[in-house]
Coordinates of all heavy atoms in Angstrom, one line a residue:
M162 N 69.6 19.7 98.1 CA 70.4 20.9 97.9 C 69.9 21.6 96.6 O 69.5 21.0 95.7 CB 71.8 20.6 97.7 CG 72.6 21.8 98.1 SD 74.3 21.6 98.5 CE 74.3 21.3 100.2
F163 N 69.9 22.9 96.6 CA 69.5 23.7 95.4 C 70.7 24.3 94.7 O 71.7 24.5 95.2 CB 68.5 24.8 95.8 CG 69.0 25.8 96.8 CD1 69.6 26.9 96.3 CD2 68.9 25.5 98.2 CE1 70.1 27.8 97.2 CE2 69.4 26.4 99.1 CZ 70.0 27.6 98.6
R164 N 70.5 24.5 93.4 CA 71.5 25.0 92.6 C 71.3 26.5 92.4 O 70.3 27.0 92.1 CB 71.4 24.3 91.2 CG 72.6 24.6 90.3 CD 72.5 23.9 89.0 NE 72.6 22.5 89.2 CZ 72.6 21.6 88.2 NH1 72.5 22.0 86.9 NH2 72.7 20.3 88.4
R165 N 72.4 27.2 92.5 CA 72.4 28.7 92.3 C 73.0 29.1 91.0 O 73.9 28.5 90.5 CB 73.2 29.4 93.4 CG 72.7 29.2 94.8 CD 73.6 29.9 95.8 NE 73.1 29.6 97.1 CZ 73.3 30.3 98.1 NH1 74.0 31.4 98.0 NH2 72.8 30.0 99.3
D166 N 72.4 30.1 90.4 CA 72.9 30.6 89.2 C 73.9 31.7 89.5 O 73.6 32.9 89.7 CB 71.7 31.2 88.3 CG 72.2 31.7 87.0 OD1 73.2 31.2 86.5 OD2 71.5 32.5 86.4
V167 N 75.1 31.3 89.6 CA 76.2 32.2 90.0 C 76.8 32.9 88.7 O 77.2 32.2 87.8 CB 77.3 31.5 90.8 CG1 78.4 32.4 91.2 CG2 76.7 30.8 92.0
Q168 N 76.9 34.2 88.8 CA 77.5 34.9 87.7 C 78.5 35.9 88.2 O 78.4 36.4 89.4 CB 76.5 35.8 86.9 CG 75.4 34.9 86.2 CD 74.4 35.7 85.5 OE1 74.4 37.0 85.5 NE2 73.5 35.1 84.8
S169 N 79.6 36.2 87.5 CA 80.6 37.1 87.9 C 80.1 38.5 87.9 O 79.2 38.9 87.1 CB 81.9 37.0 87.1 OG 81.7 37.5 85.8
V170 N 80.7 39.4 88.7 CA 80.3 40.8 88.7 C 80.6 41.4 87.4 O 79.8 42.3 86.9 CB 81.0 41.5 89.9 CG1 80.7 43.0 89.9 CG2 80.6 40.9 91.2
K171 N 81.7 41.0 86.8 CA 82.1 41.6 85.5 C 81.0 41.3 84.4 O 80.6 42.2 83.7 CB 83.4 41.0 85.0 CG 83.8 41.5 83.7 CD 85.1 40.8 83.2 CE 85.5 41.2 81.8 NZ 86.6 40.4 81.3
D172 N 80.5 40.1 84.4 CA 79.4 39.7 83.4 C 78.1 40.5 83.7 O 77.5 40.9 82.7 CB 79.2 38.2 83.5 CG 80.3 37.4 82.9 OD1 81.2 38.0 82.2 OD2 80.4 36.2 83.3
L173 N 77.8 40.7 85.0 CA 76.6 41.4 85.3 C 76.7 42.9 84.9 O 75.8 43.5 84.3 CB 76.3 41.3 86.8 CG 75.9 39.9 87.3 CD1 75.8 39.9 88.8 CD2 74.6 39.5 86.7
I174 N 77.9 43.5 85.1 CA 78.1 44.9 84.8 C 78.0 45.1 83.2 O 77.4 46.0 82.7 CB 79.4 45.4 85.4 CG1 79.2 45.5 86.9 CG2 79.7 46.8 84.8 CD1 80.5 45.9 87.6
L175 N 78.7 44.2 82.5 CA 78.7 44.3 81.1 C 77.3 44.1 80.5 O 77.0 44.8 79.5 CB 79.7 43.3 80.5 CG 81.2 43.6 80.7 CD1 82.1 42.5 80.1 CD2 81.5 44.9 80.0
R176 N 76.6 43.1 81.0 CA 75.2 42.9 80.5 C 74.4 44.1 80.8 O 73.6 44.6 79.9 CB 74.6 41.7 81.2 CG 73.2 41.4 80.6 CD 72.7 40.0 81.1 NE 73.0 39.8 82.5 CZ 72.1 39.5 83.4 NH1 70.9 39.3 83.1 NH2 72.5 39.3 84.7
N177 N 74.5 44.7 82.0 CA 73.7 45.9 82.3 C 74.1 47.1 81.4 O 73.2 47.8 80.9 CB 74.0 46.3 83.8 CG 73.0 47.4 84.3 OD1 72.0 47.6 83.6 ND2 73.4 48.0 85.4
L178 N 75.4 47.3 81.1 CA 75.8 48.4 80.2 C 75.3 48.1 78.8 O 74.9 49.1 78.1 CB 77.4 48.4 80.1 CG 78.1 49.0 81.3 CD1 79.6 48.8 81.2 CD2 77.7 50.5 81.5
R179 N 75.3 46.9 78.3 CA 74.8 46.5 77.0 C 73.3 46.8 76.9 O 72.8 47.4 75.9 CB 75.1 45.1 76.7 CG 74.9 44.7 75.3 CD 75.3 43.2 75.0 NE 76.7 43.0 75.4 CZ 77.1 42.1 76.3 NH1 76.2 41.4 76.9 NH2 78.3 41.9 76.6
E180 N 72.6 46.5 78.0 CA 71.1 46.7 77.9 C 70.8 48.2 77.9 O 69.8 48.6 77.3 CB 70.5 46.0 79.2 CG 70.5 44.5 79.1 CD 70.0 43.9 80.4 OE1 69.8 44.6 81.4 OE2 69.9 42.6 80.4
Q181 N 71.6 49.0 78.5 CA 71.3 50.4 78.6 C 71.9 51.2 77.4 O 71.8 52.4 77.3 CB 71.9 51.0 79.9 CG 71.1 50.5 81.1 CD 71.7 51.1 82.4 OE1 72.5 52.1 82.4 NE2 71.2 50.6 83.5
G182 N 72.7 50.5 76.5 CA 73.2 51.1 75.4 C 74.5 51.9 75.7 O 74.9 52.8 74.9
L183 N 75.2 51.5 76.7 CA 76.4 52.3 77.1 C 77.7 51.5 76.9 O 78.8 52.0 77.1 CB 76.3 52.6 78.6 CG 75.1 53.5 79.0 CD1 75.1 53.7 80.6 CD2 75.2 54.8 78.4
E184 N 77.6 50.3 76.4 CA 78.8 49.5 76.2 C 79.7 50.1 75.0 O 80.9 50.2 75.2 CB 78.4 48.1 75.8 CG 79.6 47.2 75.6 CD 79.3 45.8 75.2 OE1 78.2 45.6 74.6 OE2 80.0 44.9 75.5
M185 N 79.1 50.4 73.9 CA 79.9 51.0 72.8 C 80.5 52.3 73.1 O 81.7 52.5 72.8 CB 79.0 51.0 71.5 CG 79.8 51.3 70.3 SD 81.2 50.2 70.0 CE 80.4 48.7 69.5
P186 N 79.8 53.3 73.7 CA 80.5 54.5 74.0 C 81.7 54.3 75.0 O 82.7 55.0 74.9 CB 79.4 55.4 74.7 CG 78.1 54.9 74.1 CD 78.4 53.4 73.9
L187 N 81.5 53.4 75.9 CA 82.6 53.1 76.8 C 83.8 52.5 76.1 O 85.0 52.8 76.3 CB 82.2 52.1 77.9 CG 83.2 51.7 78.9 CD1 83.7 52.9 79.7 CD2 82.6 50.6 79.9
L188 N 83.6 51.5 75.2 CA 84.6 50.9 74.4 C 85.3 52.0 73.5 O 86.5 52.0 73.3 CB 84.1 49.8 73.5 CG 83.6 48.5 74.3 CD1 83.0 47.5 73.3 CD2 84.8 47.9 75.0
Q189 N 84.5 52.9 72.9 CA 85.1 53.9 72.1 C 86.0 54.9 72.9 O 87.1 55.2 72.4 CB 83.9 54.8 71.4 CG 83.2 54.0 70.4 CD 82.0 54.8 69.8 OE1 81.6 55.8 70.4 NE2 81.5 54.3 68.7
K190 N 85.6 55.2 74.1 CA 86.4 56.0 74.9 C 87.7 55.3 75.3 O 88.8 55.9 75.2 CB 85.7 56.4 76.2 CG 86.5 57.3 77.1 CD 85.6 57.7 78.3 CE 86.3 58.6 79.3 NZ 87.6 59.1 79.1
R191 N 87.7 54.0 75.6 CA 88.9 53.3 75.9 C 89.8 53.2 74.7 O 91.0 53.3 74.8 CB 88.5 51.9 76.3 CG 88.0 51.8 77.7 CD 87.7 50.4 78.2 NE 88.9 49.6 78.1 CZ 88.9 48.3 77.8 NH1 87.7 47.7 77.6 NH2 90.0 47.6 77.8
L192 N 89.2 53.1 73.5 CA 90.0 53.0 72.3 C 90.7 54.3 72.0 O 91.9 54.3 71.7 CB 89.1 52.6 71.1 CG 89.9 52.3 69.8 CD1 89.3 51.0 69.2 CD2 89.8 53.4 68.8
V193 N 90.0 55.4 72.1 CA 90.6 56.7 71.9 C 91.7 57.0 72.9 O 92.8 57.5 72.5 CB 89.6 57.9 71.9 CG1 90.2 59.2 72.0 CG2 88.6 57.8 70.7
E194 N 91.5 56.6 74.1 CA 92.6 56.8 75.2 C 93.8 55.8 74.9 O 94.9 56.1 75.4 CB 92.0 56.5 76.6 CG 91.0 57.6 77.0 CD 90.4 57.4 78.3 OE1 90.5 56.2 78.8 OE2 89.7 58.3 78.8
A195 N 93.6 54.8 74.2 CA 94.7 53.8 73.9 C 95.5 54.3 72.7 O 96.6 53.7 72.5 CB 94.1 52.4 73.7
W196 N 95.1 55.2 72.0 CA 95.8 55.7 70.8 C 97.3 56.0 71.1 O 98.2 55.5 70.4 CB 95.1 56.8 70.1 CG 96.0 57.5 69.0 CD1 96.6 58.7 69.1 CD2 96.3 56.9 67.8 NE1 97.3 58.9 68.0 CE2 97.1 57.8 67.1 CE3 96.0 55.7 67.1 CZ2 97.6 57.6 65.8 CZ3 96.5 55.5 65.8 CH2 97.3 56.4 65.2
P197 N 97.6 56.8 72.1 CA 99.0 57.1 72.3 C 99.9 55.9 72.7 O 101.0 55.7 72.2 CB 99.0 58.1 73.5 CG 97.6 58.6 73.5 CD 96.8 57.6 73.0
Q198 N 99.3 55.0 73.4 CA 100.0 53.8 73.8 C 100.2 52.8 72.6 O 101.3 52.3 72.5 CB 99.2 53.0 74.9 CG 99.8 51.8 75.4 CD 99.0 51.1 76.4 OE1 98.0 51.6 76.9 NE2 99.4 49.9 76.8
I199 N 99.3 52.7 71.7 CA 99.4 51.8 70.6 C 100.3 52.4 69.5 O 101.1 51.7 68.9 CB 98.0 51.4 70.0 CG1 97.2 50.7 71.1 CG2 98.1 50.5 68.8 CD1 97.7 49.4 71.6
A200 N 100.0 53.7 69.2 CA 100.8 54.3 68.1 C 102.2 54.7 68.5 O 103.0 54.8 67.6 CB 100.0 55.6 67.7
G201 N 102.5 54.9 69.8 CA 103.8 55.2 70.2 C 104.0 56.7 70.6 O 103.2 57.5 70.3
P202 N 105.2 56.9 71.2 CA 105.4 58.3 71.7 C 105.6 59.4 70.6 O 105.2 60.5 70.8 CB 106.7 58.2 72.5 CG 107.3 56.9 72.0 CD 106.2 56.0 71.5
V203 N 106.1 59.0 69.4 CA 106.3 60.0 68.4 C 104.9 60.4 67.8 O 104.7 61.6 67.6 CB 107.2 59.4 67.2 CG1 107.2 60.3 66.1 CG2 108.6 59.1 67.7
A204 N 104.0 59.4 67.6 CA 102.7 59.7 67.1 C 101.9 60.5 68.2 O 101.2 61.4 67.8 CB 101.9 58.5 66.8
E205 N 102.1 60.2 69.4 CA 101.5 61.0 70.5 C 101.9 62.4 70.5 O 101.0 63.3 70.7 CB 101.8 60.3 71.8 CG 101.2 61.0 73.0 CD 101.6 60.5 74.3 OE1 102.5 59.7 74.4 OE2 100.9 60.8 75.3
R206 N 103.1 62.7 70.2 CA 103.6 64.1 70.2 C 103.0 64.9 69.1 O 102.8 66.1 69.3 CB 105.2 64.0 70.1 CG 105.8 65.4 70.3 CD 107.3 65.4 70.3 NE 107.9 64.1 70.7 CZ 108.9 63.5 70.0 NH1 109.4 64.1 69.0 NH2 109.4 62.4 70.4
Y207 N 102.7 64.3 68.0 CA 102.2 65.0 66.8 C 100.7 64.9 66.7 O 100.1 65.5 65.7 CB 102.9 64.6 65.5 CG 104.3 65.0 65.5 CD1 105.4 64.1 65.8 CD2 104.7 66.3 65.2 CE1 106.7 64.4 65.7 CE2 106.0 66.7 65.2 CZ 107.0 65.7 65.5 OH 108.3 66.1 65.4
T208 N 100.0 64.2 67.6 CA 98.6 64.1 67.5 C 97.9 65.3 68.2 O 98.2 65.6 69.3 CB 98.1 62.8 68.3 OG1 98.7 61.6 67.6 CG2 96.6 62.6 68.2
L209 N 97.1 65.9 67.4 CA 96.3 67.1 67.9 C 95.0 66.7 68.5 O 94.5 67.3 69.4 CB 96.2 68.1 66.8 CG 97.5 68.6 66.2 CD1 97.2 69.5 65.0 CD2 98.3 69.3 67.2
N210 N 94.3 65.8 67.8 CA 92.9 65.4 68.2 C 92.6 64.0 67.7 O 93.0 63.6 66.6 CB 91.9 66.4 67.6 CG 90.5 66.3 68.1 OD1 90.3 65.6 69.2 ND2 89.6 66.9 67.5
T211 N 91.8 63.3 68.5 CA 91.3 62.0 68.0 C 89.8 61.8 68.4 O 89.4 62.3 69.5 CB 92.1 60.8 68.7 OG1 92.0 60.9 70.1 CG2 93.5 60.7 68.2
Y212 N 89.0 61.3 67.5 CA 87.6 61.0 67.8 C 87.1 59.9 66.9 O 87.7 59.6 65.9 CB 86.8 62.3 67.7 CG 86.7 62.9 66.3 CD1 85.7 62.6 65.4 CD2 87.7 63.8 65.9 CE1 85.6 63.1 64.2 CE2 87.6 64.3 64.6 CZ 86.6 64.0 63.8 OH 86.5 64.6 62.5
I213 N 86.0 59.3 67.3 CA 85.4 58.2 66.5 C 84.0 58.7 66.0 O 83.2 59.3 66.7 CB 85.2 57.0 67.3 CG1 86.6 56.5 67.7 CG2 84.5 55.9 66.5 CD1 86.5 55.3 68.7
Y214 N 83.8 58.5 64.7 CA 82.5 58.8 64.1 C 82.2 57.7 63.0 O 83.0 57.5 62.1 CB 82.6 60.2 63.4 CG 81.3 60.6 62.8 CD1 80.2 61.0 63.6 CD2 81.1 60.6 61.4 CE1 79.0 61.4 63.0 CE2 79.9 61.0 60.8 CZ 78.8 61.3 61.6 OH 77.6 61.7 61.1
N215 N 81.1 57.1 63.2 CA 80.7 56.0 62.2 C 81.7 54.9 62.1 O 82.1 54.5 61.0 CB 80.3 56.5 60.9 CG 79.0 57.3 60.9 OD1 78.2 57.1 61.8 ND2 78.8 58.1 59.9
Q216 N 82.2 54.4 63.2 CA 83.2 53.3 63.3 C 84.5 53.7 62.6 O 85.2 52.8 62.1 CB 82.6 52.0 62.7 CG 81.5 51.4 63.5 CD 81.1 50.1 63.0 OE1 81.2 49.8 61.8 NE2 80.7 49.2 63.9
T217 N 84.8 55.0 62.4 CA 86.0 55.4 61.9 C 86.8 56.3 62.9 O 86.2 57.2 63.4 CB 85.8 56.2 60.6 OG1 85.1 55.4 59.6 CG2 87.1 56.7 60.0
L218 N 88.0 55.9 63.1 CA 88.8 56.7 64.0 C 89.5 57.9 63.2 O 90.2 57.6 62.3 CB 89.9 55.9 64.7 CG 90.9 56.6 65.6 CD1 90.2 57.2 66.8 CD2 92.0 55.7 66.0
Y219 N 89.2 59.1 63.6 CA 89.8 60.2 62.9 C 91.0 60.7 63.8 O 90.8 61.0 65.0 CB 88.8 61.4 62.7 CG 87.8 61.0 61.7 CD1 86.6 60.3 62.0 CD2 88.0 61.3 60.3 CE1 85.7 60.0 61.0 CE2 87.1 61.0 59.4 CZ 85.9 60.3 59.7 OH 85.0 60.0 58.8
V220 N 92.2 60.8 63.2 CA 93.3 61.3 64.0 C 93.9 62.5 63.3 O 94.3 62.4 62.1 CB 94.4 60.2 64.0 CG1 95.6 60.7 64.8 CG2 93.8 58.9 64.7
R221 N 93.9 63.6 63.9 CA 94.4 64.9 63.4 C 95.9 65.0 63.8 O 96.2 65.0 65.0 CB 93.7 66.1 63.8 CG 94.1 67.3 63.2 CD 93.0 68.4 63.4 NE 93.5 69.6 62.8 CZ 93.7 70.8 63.5 NH1 93.4 70.8 64.8 NH2 94.2 71.8 62.9
L222 N 96.8 65.0 62.8 CA 98.2 65.1 63.0 C 98.8 66.4 62.5 O 98.3 66.9 61.5 CB 98.9 63.9 62.3 CG 98.5 62.5 62.8 CD1 99.0 61.4 61.8 CD2 99.0 62.2 64.2
S223 N 99.9 66.8 63.2 CA 100.5 68.1 62.7 C 101.7 67.8 61.8 O 102.3 68.8 61.3 CB 101.0 68.9 64.0 OG 101.9 68.1 64.7
S224 N 102.0 66.5 61.6 CA 103.2 66.2 60.7 C 102.7 65.4 59.5 O 102.2 64.3 59.6 CB 104.2 65.3 61.5 OG 105.1 64.8 60.7
P225 N 102.9 66.0 58.3 CA 102.5 65.3 57.1 C 103.3 64.1 56.8 O 102.8 63.1 56.3 CB 102.8 66.3 56.0 CG 102.8 67.7 56.6 CD 103.3 67.4 58.0
A226 N 104.6 64.0 57.2 CA 105.4 62.9 57.0 C 104.9 61.7 57.9 O 104.8 60.6 57.5 CB 106.9 63.2 57.4
L227 N 104.5 62.0 59.1 CA 104.0 61.0 60.0 C 102.7 60.5 59.5 O 102.3 59.3 59.6 CB 103.9 61.5 61.5 CG 103.4 60.6 62.5 CD1 104.3 59.4 62.7 CD2 103.2 61.3 63.8
R228 N 101.9 61.4 59.0 CA 100.6 61.0 58.4 C 100.7 60.0 57.3 O 100.0 59.0 57.3 CB 99.9 62.3 57.9 CG 98.5 62.1 57.4 CD 97.8 63.4 56.9 NE 98.0 64.5 57.9 CZ 98.4 65.7 57.6 NH1 98.7 66.0 56.3 NH2 98.5 66.6 58.5
A229 N 101.7 60.2 56.4 CA 102.0 59.3 55.4 C 102.5 57.9 55.9 O 102.1 56.9 55.4 CB 103.0 59.9 54.4
E230 N 103.3 58.0 56.9 CA 103.9 56.7 57.5 C 102.8 55.9 58.2 O 102.7 54.7 58.0 CB 105.0 57.1 58.4 CG 105.7 55.9 59.0 CD 106.8 56.3 60.0 OE1 107.4 57.4 59.8 OE2 107.1 55.4 60.8
L231 N 101.9 56.6 58.9 CA 100.9 55.9 59.6 C 99.8 55.3 58.7 O 99.2 54.3 58.9 CB 100.2 56.8 60.7 CG 101.1 57.1 61.9 CD1 100.4 58.1 62.8 CD2 101.5 55.9 62.6
S232 N 99.6 56.0 57.5 CA 98.7 55.5 56.5 C 99.1 54.2 56.0 O 98.2 53.4 55.6 CB 98.5 56.6 55.4 OG 97.9 57.7 55.9
M233 N 100.4 54.0 55.9 CA 100.9 52.7 55.3 C 100.6 51.5 56.3 O 100.5 50.4 55.8 CB 102.3 52.8 55.0 CG 102.6 53.7 53.8 SD 104.3 53.6 53.3 CE 105.0 54.9 54.3
C234 N 100.5 51.8 57.6 CA 100.3 50.7 58.5 C 98.9 50.8 59.2 O 98.7 50.4 60.3 CB 101.4 50.6 59.6 SG 101.6 52.1 60.5
R235 N 98.0 51.3 58.4 CA 96.6 51.6 58.9 C 95.9 50.3 59.4 O 95.4 50.3 60.5 CB 95.8 52.2 57.8 CG 94.3 52.3 58.1 CD 93.5 52.9 56.9 NE 93.9 54.3 56.8 CZ 94.0 55.0 55.7 NH1 93.8 54.4 54.6 NH2 94.3 56.3 55.7
Q236 N 96.0 49.2 58.6 CA 95.3 48.0 59.0 C 95.9 47.4 60.3 O 95.1 46.9 61.1 CB 95.3 47.0 57.9 CG 94.4 45.8 58.1 CD 92.9 46.2 58.3 OE1 92.4 47.0 57.5 NE2 92.3 45.7 59.3
E237 N 97.2 47.4 60.4 CA 97.8 46.9 61.6 C 97.4 47.7 62.9 O 97.1 47.1 63.9 CB 99.3 47.0 61.5 CG 100.1 46.5 62.6 CD 101.6 46.7 62.5 OE1 102.1 46.9 61.3 OE2 102.3 46.5 63.5
L238 N 97.3 49.0 62.7 CA 96.8 49.9 63.8 C 95.4 49.6 64.2 O 95.0 49.5 65.4 CB 97.0 51.4 63.5 CG 98.4 51.9 63.5 CD1 98.4 53.3 62.9 CD2 99.0 51.9 64.9
I239 N 94.5 49.3 63.2 CA 93.1 49.0 63.4 C 93.0 47.7 64.2 O 92.3 47.6 65.2 CB 92.3 48.9 62.1 CG1 92.2 50.2 61.4 CG2 91.0 48.3 62.3 CD1 91.7 50.2 60.0
N240 N 93.8 46.7 63.8 CA 93.8 45.4 64.5 C 94.3 45.5 65.9 O 93.7 44.9 66.9 CB 94.6 44.4 63.7 CG 94.0 44.0 62.4 OD1 92.8 44.2 62.2 ND2 94.8 43.6 61.5
K241 N 95.3 46.3 66.2 CA 95.9 46.4 67.5 C 94.9 47.2 68.4 O 94.7 46.8 69.6 CB 97.2 47.2 67.5 CG 98.4 46.4 67.0 CD 99.7 47.2 67.0 CE 100.9 46.4 66.6 NZ 102.1 47.1 66.7
L242 N 94.3 48.2 67.9 CA 93.4 49.0 68.7 C 92.1 48.2 69.1 O 91.7 48.2 70.2 CB 93.0 50.3 68.0 CG 94.0 51.4 68.0 CD1 93.7 52.4 66.9 CD2 94.2 52.0 69.3
N243 N 91.6 47.5 68.1 CA 90.4 46.7 68.4 C 90.7 45.5 69.3 O 89.9 45.2 70.2 CB 89.8 46.1 67.1 CG 89.0 47.1 66.3 OD1 88.4 48.0 66.9 ND2 89.0 47.0 65.0
S244 N 91.9 44.9 69.2 CA 92.2 43.8 70.1 C 92.5 44.4 71.5 O 92.3 43.7 72.5 CB 93.4 43.0 69.6 OG 94.6 43.8 69.6
Y245 N 93.0 45.6 71.6 CA 93.2 46.2 72.9 C 91.9 46.4 73.7 O 91.9 46.1 74.9 CB 93.9 47.6 72.8 CG 94.2 48.3 74.1 CD1 95.3 48.0 74.8 CD2 93.3 49.2 74.6 CE1 95.6 48.6 76.0 CE2 93.6 49.8 75.8 CZ 94.7 49.6 76.5 OH 95.0 50.2 77.7
V246 N 90.8 46.8 73.0 CA 89.6 46.9 73.8 C 88.8 45.7 73.8 O 87.8 45.6 74.5 CB 88.7 48.1 73.2 CG1 89.4 49.4 73.4 CG2 88.4 47.9 71.7
G247 N 89.2 44.7 73.0 CA 88.5 43.4 73.0 C 87.2 43.3 72.2 O 86.4 42.4 72.4
S248 N 87.0 44.2 71.3 CA 85.8 44.2 70.4 C 86.1 45.0 69.2 O 87.0 45.8 69.1 CB 84.7 44.9 71.2 OG 83.5 44.9 70.4
Q249 N 85.3 44.8 68.1 CA 85.5 45.5 66.9 C 84.7 46.8 67.0 O 83.5 46.9 66.8 CB 84.9 44.7 65.7 CG 85.0 45.6 64.4 CD 85.6 44.9 63.3 OE1 85.9 43.7 63.4 NE2 85.7 45.6 62.2
V250 N 85.5 47.9 67.4 CA 84.9 49.2 67.6 C 85.1 50.0 66.3 O 84.2 50.8 66.0 CB 85.6 49.9 68.8 CG1 85.1 51.3 69.0 CG2 85.4 49.0 70.0
I251 N 86.2 49.9 65.7 CA 86.5 50.7 64.5 C 86.8 49.8 63.3 O 87.2 48.7 63.4 CB 87.7 51.7 64.6 CG1 89.0 51.0 65.0 CG2 87.3 52.8 65.7 CD1 90.2 51.8 64.9
T252 N 86.5 50.3 62.1 CA 86.7 49.6 60.9 C 87.7 50.3 60.0 O 88.2 49.7 59.0 CB 85.4 49.3 60.1 OG1 84.8 50.6 59.8 CG2 84.5 48.4 60.9
D253 N 88.0 51.6 60.3 CA 88.9 52.4 59.5 C 89.5 53.5 60.3 O 89.0 53.8 61.4 CB 88.1 53.0 58.3 CG 89.1 53.6 57.2 OD1 90.3 53.2 57.2 OD2 88.6 54.3 56.4
I254 N 90.7 54.0 59.9 CA 91.3 55.1 60.5 C 91.6 56.1 59.4 O 92.1 55.8 58.3 CB 92.7 54.7 61.1 CG1 92.5 53.7 62.2 CG2 93.4 56.0 61.7 CD1 93.8 53.3 62.9
R255 N 91.2 57.4 59.6 CA 91.5 58.5 58.7 C 92.5 59.4 59.4 O 92.2 59.9 60.5 CB 90.2 59.2 58.3 CG 89.2 58.4 57.7 CD 89.6 58.0 56.3 NE 88.6 57.0 55.8 CZ 88.2 57.0 54.6 NH1 88.6 57.9 53.7 NH2 87.3 56.1 54.2
F256 N 93.6 59.7 58.7 CA 94.5 60.7 59.2 C 94.3 62.0 58.5 O 94.3 62.1 57.3 CB 96.0 60.2 59.0 CG 96.2 58.9 59.7 CD1 96.2 57.7 58.9 CD2 96.4 58.8 61.0 CE1 96.5 56.5 59.6 CE2 96.6 57.6 61.7 CZ 96.7 56.4 61.0
C257 N 94.1 63.1 59.2 CA 93.9 64.4 58.6 C 94.7 65.4 59.3 O 95.4 65.2 60.2 CB 92.4 64.8 58.7 SG 91.6 64.4 60.2

């Protein structure tokens, strides 16, 4: 009998994405889309724009009070967002 090298479809797709350089943009998109779910409905209501540049998540908020409150729990949000996508995508969050 011969032995087969069996791999899951998930592993094959992830390896293919990594080889083509598409894994990180996909993870960044998932992280940006997860912002309302992780931050909560109040933060979602006052969020105007979110994007990632140089491993930093930039969140534009319309409420200065919410900006100050979220700044105090910055590291907790970073940890939750990175664990949501399963990889270290961001290292900092800037509220503007």
Side-chain angles (χ1 to χ4, degrees):
M162 203 160 276
F163 59 93
R164 192 181 290 188
R165 294 182 186 203
D166 184 24
V167 180
Q168 296 179 356
S169 71
V170 175
K171 177 184 175 184
D172 292 339
L173 291 172
I174 290 173
L175 287 176
R176 184 171 42 127
N177 191 17
L178 287 172
R179 192 175 305 119
E180 288 172 357
Q181 293 181 9
L183 299 174
E184 181 183 30
M185 191 54 71
L187 179 63
L188 291 174
Q189 289 176 347
K190 180 173 177 11
R191 285 182 58 212
L192 189 135
V193 168
E194 289 176 351
W196 169 254
Q198 181 181 353
I199 300 297
V203 175
E205 179 183 12
R206 188 174 334 136
Y207 291 103
T208 300
L209 301 174
N210 190 16
T211 56
Y212 63 94
I213 296 176
Y214 182 74
N215 286 342
Q216 292 186 329
T217 301
L218 176 66
Y219 290 89
V220 180
R221 186 165 176 240
L222 299 168
S223 61
S224 170
L227 182 62
R228 187 179 310 134
E230 184 178 334
L231 290 175
S232 292
M233 288 187 272
C234 58
R235 173 182 286 147
Q236 192 58 46
E237 181 182 345
L238 288 168
I239 292 170
N240 293 338
K241 284 183 179 180
L242 287 164
N243 281 331
S244 66
Y245 181 85
V246 295
S248 179
Q249 173 130 6
V250 177
I251 59 169
T252 57
D253 194 16
I254 298 177
R255 301 289 170 141
F256 300 104
C257 41

